[in-house]
Amino acid sequence: MNPKFGVVVFPGSNCDHDAYYALKHELGYEVEFLWHKEPSLKGCNVIILPGGFSYGDYIRCGAVAKLSPIMAEVIKFANEGGIVIGICNGFQILCESGLLPGVLIKNKSLKFICEDVHLLVTGKSEVFANDASGSVVKIPIAHGEGNYFIEPDKIEELEKNGQILFRYCTPTGEISPESNPNGSINNIAGLTNRAGNVLGMMPHPERACSKTIGNDSGKFVFSSIANFIKSKEVEHVF
Amino acid sequence: MFKAKVIIKRRKSILDPQGKAAEQGAKLLGFLNIDQVRINKEVEFFVNLSSKEEALKEVTEFSGKLLANPIMEDFEIQLEETDES
């Protein structure tokens, strides 16, 4: 079957159009916006929770967005095995809604960081990073609260299950405290749920999908999802 | 009616970067005895219920579902009966 991407739009989302543009015009996939008040996913088989500052990120990042009508549908879809990717604020929303473990707190430096970082694809994900395991990619980050935290006993579990898909690293792939921009535990930049159908990541692959603007090394995340869906016959793939 | 105060504290095991910044500021100001600053949140609101037990139940649920993130924060609730609104 063919992929149909749905980009959820919350009040305060600001990377929704970047995601739409990248998917439609750079990658050529079918994509549509999903307004957060609509309790329907309109037949989309991949859901993207984009970056931004949903509801101003008051209370905590993502704390109010998780209560939007569409999130009940997204949670149901994810629990049935549907593919969901949360980028930046979307990652925060996934953690707040309980689809991913842990929490994202203020960067260790207290600064909003907007720069290119290198990521090592440390996990294996047939859905989100097919054939990319072990490679180093350069993708931008832009966040003030991307410092991933989880209790020590839980981090061991995530590591054991191979859920850590992306880690901040040096250009040569070395994972070090110096290559960690925000203080995330174990240099975590992105992780999946146990089943492997939900991904949260702080870096913005949708901002790295165009050679014209200098970087298309984020394309592989979306093309991997599309190839995975194309290889399946059923609607819910897990 | 009750006046509720919810105090939300980040667990000790979790870094509090804002507290750290305030601590650094204290040192810069010459307050060398100030140590281990933690910045908490305090939320105040009214609860339109007459039973204290029910009010506490509602405030606890509200706090756990929205005001605090149980992964990193604990909260304490203070309830005071009032006619003020």
Side-chain angles (χ1 to χ4, degrees):
Chain A
M1 71 189 294
N2 285 321
K4 184 181 174 191
F5 288 82
V7 179
V8 177
V9 182
F10 296 99
S13 293
N14 64 12
C15 298
D16 43 351
H17 283 265
D18 301 50
Y20 186 97
Y21 175 84
L23 289 162
K24 185 160 185 145
H25 301 291
E26 295 290 346
L27 285 141
Y29 300 134
E30 192 181 352
V31 53
E32 78 175 281
F33 288 122
L34 302 171
W35 180 236
H36 74 115
K37 281 201 169 162
E38 287 177 36
S40 158
L41 304 183
K42 294 185 180 170
C44 294
N45 51 19
V46 185
I47 299 301
I48 298 187
L49 304 183
F53 298 87
S54 54
Y55 292 90
D57 276 346
Y58 299 122
I59 304 182
R60 287 179 313 281
C61 298
V64 182
K66 75 176 172 195
L67 306 172
S68 275
I70 203 163
M71 281 309 293
E73 290 306 306
V74 172
I75 291 168
K76 196 169 143 227
F77 175 74
N79 288 335
E80 286 170 355
I83 296 173
V84 178
I85 167 167
I87 300 164
C88 199
N89 193 221
F91 185 9
Q92 295 161 342
I93 296 167
L94 288 174
C95 288
E96 276 285 337
S97 64
L99 285 174
L100 288 176
V103 64
L104 292 142
I105 61 175
K106 213 173 263 295
N107 295 343
K108 203 173 172 186
S109 65
L110 288 171
K111 288 179 184 152
F112 187 98
I113 308 165
C114 185
E115 63 186 21
D116 282 337
V117 295
H118 290 89
L119 306 176
L120 180 65
V121 186
T122 48
K124 280 190 180 140
S125 169
E126 204 191 341
V127 186
F128 299 108
N130 197 10
D131 295 333
S133 190
S135 56
V136 176
V137 290
K138 189 170 84 170
I139 292 182
I141 54 167
H143 61 247
E145 301 196 25
N147 181 351
Y148 184 76
F149 174 83
I150 192 164
E151 297 289 350
D153 56 322
K154 303 252 173 61
I155 186 80
E156 275 174 37
E157 208 181 302
L158 296 183
E159 293 283 5
K160 206 175 76 191
N161 298 338
Q163 288 174 245
I164 318 299
L165 190 55
F166 302 121
R167 283 179 222 261
Y168 300 110
C169 67
T170 64
T172 53
E174 193 196 335
I175 295 162
S176 63
E178 294 72 35
S179 63
N180 186 343
N182 53 27
S184 287
I185 188 163
N186 293 12
N187 281 41
I188 292 173
L191 78 152
T192 66
N193 63 344
R194 181 79 202 264
N197 59 310
V198 177
L199 167 70
M201 61 190 296
M202 286 314 294
H204 288 270
E206 82 284 9
R207 292 190 191 178
C209 284
S210 164
K211 275 219 163 99
T212 316
I213 57 168
N215 186 358
D216 69 347
S217 56
K219 268 186 173 176
F220 79 96
V221 176
F222 305 110
S223 56
S224 174
I225 295 171
N227 290 338
F228 181 80
I229 287 180
K230 280 179 190 163
S231 71
K232 303 287 168 183
E233 295 299 317
V234 291
E235 194 179 339
H236 287 138
V237 287
F238 279 82
Chain B
M1 184 193 282
F2 291 89
K3 190 172 181 184
K5 192 186 272 185
V6 182
I7 299 154
I8 300 141
K9 293 183 178 178
R10 190 172 283 212
R11 294 215 184 93
K12 283 269 154 60
S13 57
I14 299 176
L15 178 76
D16 176 8
Q18 287 159 298
K20 275 264 171 270
E23 198 175 302
Q24 239 170 342
K27 302 268 184 284
L28 290 171
L29 283 167
F31 296 113
L32 303 179
N33 302 312
I34 305 294
D35 198 20
Q36 298 181 49
V37 180
R38 309 283 293 180
I39 294 186
N40 301 324
K41 275 189 271 187
E42 191 178 296
V43 185
E44 288 180 343
F45 49 93
F46 290 96
V47 190
N48 293 319
L49 281 168
S50 51
S51 148
K52 189 166 186 179
E53 200 182 319
E54 279 179 38
L56 184 63
K57 189 169 170 266
E58 187 144 326
V59 175
T60 306
E61 269 182 43
F62 172 49
S63 303
K65 281 188 179 167
L66 186 65
L67 298 181
N69 181 335
I71 296 170
M72 61 167 177
E73 293 164 326
D74 293 314
F75 58 87
E76 53 189 66
I77 296 166
Q78 293 169 11
L79 279 181
E80 188 189 315
E81 199 153 15
T82 180
D83 295 329
E84 172 199 349
S85 60

